[in-house]
Amino acid sequence: MINISSIKMHMYCPMKLYLKTHVDISQNNEYQLYNEIKNLKIDIQDLLQKNMRKLKKSMDLNEIETALGQNIAAYTENNIDTIKNLKLDITQEQIGEITDETYFNIKILSLKAKKAMRILDKNGMEIVEMFFPNCMYSYLMKDKQLDLVGICDKIEIIDGKYYPISFKSSKPPLKGIWDSDAIELAANAILIEEEFDTEVFVGFVKYSKIDDKRPVIMDMNLRKGLFSVLNEVKEIIINKKIPKVKINEKKCRNCEYYAICTKD
């Protein structure tokens, strides 16, 4: 089966997908590290939801921030130690990004919670669903007909409707979302439709750096784009077709396969 992660890699660079699939035989911990960091961020969201239930409308902003951040720093530190013990090469820059994102999210959520409790005259327990709808995290799905498998970061369920959400730690565009993020989200939408016998009309990409959740309409053009990419991925993985790519000096220099691609 084709994994959504392969679609994502193809959107970044088709040649990278080819080399990773057919040439690279070394052990690569990059994907495992990516998943460990993503799971940590999801766990932090769960802790924020749990802590919000303890908020009281009588609290001032500093008390709300303290309550929301309870146990999060210790939990994050313990998980980073676990990642290091797994011999995964997490950098100080990545650790700093996680810490900064968490601090920023607590600040923003504190302001929103304070305002909601004041306007609605309710405690945190009564408003928590406004910020954390009923959902499923890291949900594995398969579509045998499409030969596709993947894990959706988050699926929100509101009034019987399913909404796929992808978490991204990359810098967002000024408007909208990156094409690669839209294609990945469309793949998750199609898997949800098969898994739950429903229709998905809208999904969201959440850019963690700015705590912004941006909508994506699952229209026909996006779905056609997904099927086109899926066919290209199958050609590379199954038929070993060598893709043609345009060199992007800035992006290529950050790729672990740069030396192979530029070798005479």
Side-chain angles (χ1 to χ4, degrees):
M1 281 189 151
I2 303 300
N3 198 299
I4 289 179
S5 62
S6 296
I7 295 175
K8 185 163 55 177
M9 187 176 295
H10 175 276
M11 292 296 295
Y12 181 81
C13 175
M15 183 58 75
K16 183 174 182 178
L17 174 62
Y18 176 84
L19 292 172
K20 183 170 180 61
T21 305
H22 302 296
V23 177
D24 185 14
I25 58 174
S26 62
Q27 185 176 2
N28 192 336
N29 291 333
E30 181 182 353
Y31 184 67
Q32 186 182 356
L33 175 60
Y34 171 82
N35 276 334
E36 292 291 340
I37 292 175
K38 179 169 285 189
N39 288 336
L40 172 57
K41 291 180 179 180
I42 289 172
D43 289 344
I44 290 172
Q45 288 294 307
D46 283 341
L47 282 173
L48 285 172
Q49 180 177 359
K50 180 180 178 180
N51 290 343
M52 178 174 274
R53 297 179 184 276
K54 303 174 184 177
L55 299 183
K56 303 297 180 183
K57 57 189 176 184
S58 59
M59 289 179 170
D60 62 29
L61 191 58
N62 288 332
E63 289 174 322
I64 290 173
E65 284 185 19
T66 300
L68 283 176
Q70 187 177 6
N71 299 324
I72 288 180
Y75 184 84
T76 301
E77 185 177 344
N78 288 337
N79 274 265
I80 289 173
D81 287 342
T82 299
I83 291 172
K84 291 178 178 178
N85 290 335
L86 291 172
K87 307 301 183 183
L88 300 177
D89 296 326
I90 187 169
T91 65
Q92 284 301 124
E93 182 180 0
Q94 288 171 314
I95 294 172
E97 284 183 357
I98 295 169
T99 303
D100 291 345
E101 279 181 24
T102 303
Y103 175 79
F104 178 73
N105 289 338
I106 290 174
K107 286 282 187 182
I108 295 297
L109 187 57
S110 297
L111 291 169
K112 291 179 178 179
K114 177 65 176 176
K115 185 176 181 180
M117 288 190 293
R118 176 175 55 81
I119 292 174
L120 299 174
D121 193 29
K122 294 181 181 296
N123 292 316
M125 178 67 76
E126 299 168 287
I127 66 166
V128 67
E129 289 188 5
M130 291 176 56
F131 300 94
F132 301 95
N134 184 27
C135 61
M136 296 177 286
Y137 286 108
S138 300
Y139 194 86
L140 176 65
M141 298 171 289
K142 298 179 181 179
D143 187 329
K144 293 182 179 179
Q145 189 172 3
L146 283 178
D147 199 30
L148 182 65
V149 62
I151 296 175
C152 189
D153 293 338
K154 183 179 180 181
I155 304 173
E156 287 187 356
I157 308 167
I158 304 173
D159 297 330
K161 301 293 184 182
Y162 290 74
Y163 301 91
I165 298 176
S166 290
F167 294 124
K168 298 297 173 185
S169 58
S170 56
K171 292 181 180 179
L174 291 177
K175 294 182 179 180
I177 68 168
W178 301 117
D179 289 343
S180 58
D181 295 341
I183 292 294
E184 179 187 349
L185 197 62
N188 278 312
I190 285 178
L191 289 177
I192 288 173
E193 290 177 336
E194 173 67 19
E195 180 80 8
F196 299 102
D197 190 22
T198 187
E199 289 185 272
V200 176
F201 301 102
V202 181
F204 296 90
V205 176
K206 183 171 183 179
Y207 292 103
S208 302
K209 284 185 182 296
I210 58 172
D211 193 34
D212 190 14
K213 192 166 74 171
R214 300 183 178 182
V216 183
I217 305 299
M218 298 297 150
D219 59 19
M220 190 56 65
N221 288 331
L222 180 56
R223 291 171 186 263
K224 286 181 179 178
L226 167 63
F227 292 134
S228 176
V229 170
L230 187 57
N231 287 333
E232 292 173 9
V233 170
K234 288 180 178 179
E235 284 291 308
I236 293 172
I237 293 179
I238 298 174
N239 297 328
K240 299 184 179 181
K241 180 180 178 180
I242 301 177
K244 295 180 179 180
V245 297
K246 293 181 180 180
I247 299 297
N248 181 322
E249 193 65 25
K250 183 179 179 181
K251 185 165 70 173
C252 290
R253 283 192 177 277
N254 293 324
C255 177
E256 64 266 35
Y257 300 112
Y258 178 74
I260 297 177
C261 284
T262 56
K263 188 176 180 180
D264 293 334

